[in-house]
Amino acid sequence: IRTGIALAKTYGAELIGLTVEVTNPEFNTLVPNLQDAVEQRAQEALKSFVEETGGKAKTAIRESADPAHGIAAAARELSADIIVMGQHGKGVISRLLFADTAAKVIGQADCPVLVAPRAAWLWEKRILLATDGSERGAAAERAAAQLAARFKLPITVVSVVTNSNSEEERAEARQAVDAAVARLAGLGLQAEGK
C-alpha cells in the first residue's frame, strides 16, 4: 500500500483501492453466509486502505471468479495508468497464490504492473530493467525511463539467459541489453548493461 500511495503522491495521480471478491456459486451454496463474510472482509480492507491514505483515495469492489481477471478488468474499466500490487499473506501457500495471481495480472493487464513487497520503499537506489527485446520489454523500458527521469535514478539493464540457451540466443540477449542502454542514454539517463 505504501508504494502505491507514494507513487500517487509523486505524480499527483488519483488513487483507487481495489478489492476483488472471488465468487464461486458452488461454495456460496455449500457455505451459508460465505458471500457476506467475503464482502465484510473487502469492506474492512478498503476502510483500512482509505485510512492509510488519509482519506485521499477512492475505492472499488469487483466480483470475479478469478482475482487476476478481476484486477485486470477493473484496471481497464477505471482507466488505470498502473497497477500496484502488494503481497499481504506470509505463509507459503499465500505467497504461491500471490505469485500466480501477479503473473496472470501482468499477462492480462493493458498497463504496467508494479509488484511491491511489504517492506518496499520507493526509489532510493536504482531501477533494474529486465528486457528480452520484445514489445513487452520495450513497454518496461519506457516505464523504467519515466521513473528514472522522475526520480533521478540510474538504470541497470539485464536479460536473463540460462545454460540451455544457445550462443545465438545469448548474443540476442546481449544485443537487447546494449540497445536498451543506448536508447536510455540517448534520453540523458544513466544506464548500464549487465
Side-chain angles (χ1 to χ4, degrees):
I1 292 174
R2 181 175 44 233
T3 302
I5 293 169
L7 194 56
K9 280 183 183 177
T10 299
Y11 283 98
E14 178 182 54
L15 187 61
I16 303 170
L18 172 71
T19 295
V20 176
E21 295 178 2
V22 179
T23 57
N24 184 322
E26 292 176 22
F27 288 154
N28 291 346
T29 57
L30 293 173
V31 181
N33 303 321
L34 176 63
Q35 193 61 35
D36 292 339
V38 168
E39 288 175 15
Q40 182 179 356
R41 259 187 102 188
Q43 291 291 345
E44 289 170 2
L46 290 175
K47 181 181 176 192
S48 172
F49 171 76
V50 170
E51 288 171 1
E52 285 203 46
T53 66
K56 296 179 182 174
K58 293 182 178 180
T59 61
I61 298 176
R62 298 295 183 268
E63 291 183 1
S64 178
D66 175 41
H69 176 76
I71 293 167
R76 280 189 289 281
E77 174 194 335
L78 299 167
S79 300
D81 292 312
I82 189 168
I83 298 169
V84 179
M85 298 178 62
Q87 180 179 348
H88 57 82
K90 294 181 181 176
V92 173
I93 293 175
S94 178
R95 286 194 305 269
L96 289 172
L97 290 174
F98 174 76
D100 182 59
T101 299
K104 287 180 182 178
V105 170
I106 291 166
Q108 295 178 25
D110 297 333
C111 62
V113 178
L114 174 62
V115 181
R118 182 178 291 267
W121 289 95
L122 271 184
W123 331 132
E124 295 175 344
K125 299 173 188 161
R126 69 177 41 253
I127 296 171
L128 178 67
L129 168 63
T131 187
D132 58 3
S134 69
E135 192 175 308
R136 287 187 183 248
E141 182 181 322
R142 287 189 298 274
Q146 288 176 344
L147 291 171
R150 177 71 178 199
F151 296 102
K152 300 185 181 4
L153 291 173
I155 302 175
T156 299
V157 184
V158 299
S159 187
V160 178
V161 294
T162 66
N163 292 337
S164 64
N165 288 109
S166 68
E167 285 304 316
E168 182 180 336
E169 291 168 324
R170 289 172 184 273
E172 288 173 5
R174 173 49 51 203
Q175 288 172 350
V177 169
D178 292 344
V181 168
R183 284 189 297 273
L184 293 166
L187 296 173
L189 300 171
Q190 182 184 346
E192 67 176 357
K194 296 267 181 174

